[in-house]
Amino acid sequence: MNLLYEAADRFLNDAQTTSDVKLRATRLARVQAIITELRGTLQHHVDADLAGQLDAIYLFLIERLKSGTPDEVALVRGTLDAMSAVANHAIHTGE
């Protein structure tokens, strides 16, 4: 999962720093695909409430990426960074 977050961050950085419209669109599409993959890892049978909440966040982020504005891309990047930090903490502490 960490590799997916890292790849998403790399693609979001590329999208934020490029002036090439085509490259930006390609990078944002890749981030959408990564978020879709993350949605697929949710284990609704283990904790339906948590999985449902995470699914809603992922859907929200996909919608933000569709607009592709700099503010929306920054919001997605910040949210994924926070989610990655929480996941890393849980992995390392067992929480």
Side-chain angles (χ1 to χ4, degrees), residues 3 9 11 22 34 38 47 51 59 62-63 78 83 88 91:
L3 293 176
D9 187 62
F11 292 136
K22 208 171 186 179
I34 289 169
L38 288 167
D47 188 336
L59 288 172
I62 289 170
E63 286 302 312
M83 292 176 79
N88 280 329
I91 290 167

Side-chain angles (χ1 to χ4, degrees), residues 54-67:
L54 289 170
D55 193 45
I57 292 169
Y58 289 142
L59 288 172
F60 172 80
L61 296 177
I62 289 170
E63 286 302 312
R64 301 291 64 80
L65 286 173
K66 288 179 182 177
S67 75

Side-chain angles (χ1 to χ4, degrees), residues 2-89:
N2 285 337
L3 293 176
L4 290 173
Y5 283 123
E6 289 172 12
D9 187 62
R10 189 174 56 253
F11 292 136
L12 286 166
N13 181 62
D14 289 350
Q16 287 179 306
T17 58
T18 188
S19 59
D20 182 331
V21 175
K22 208 171 186 179
L23 178 62
R24 179 180 169 80
T26 299
R27 294 302 190 246
L28 293 179
R30 287 189 176 187
V31 175
Q32 286 181 15
I34 289 169
I35 293 171
T36 299
E37 182 69 26
L38 288 167
R39 287 184 67 216
T41 68
L42 297 174
Q43 297 182 359
H44 293 271
H45 64 281
V46 173
D47 188 336
D49 186 49
L50 177 60
Q53 290 176 19
L54 289 170
D55 193 45
I57 292 169
Y58 289 142
L59 288 172
F60 172 80
L61 296 177
I62 289 170
E63 286 302 312
R64 301 291 64 80
L65 286 173
K66 288 179 182 177
S67 75
T69 67
D71 287 344
E72 298 285 25
V73 172
L75 174 93
V76 171
R77 190 171 186 196
T79 303
L80 287 177
D81 284 347
M83 292 176 79
S84 176
V86 169
N88 280 329
H89 176 76

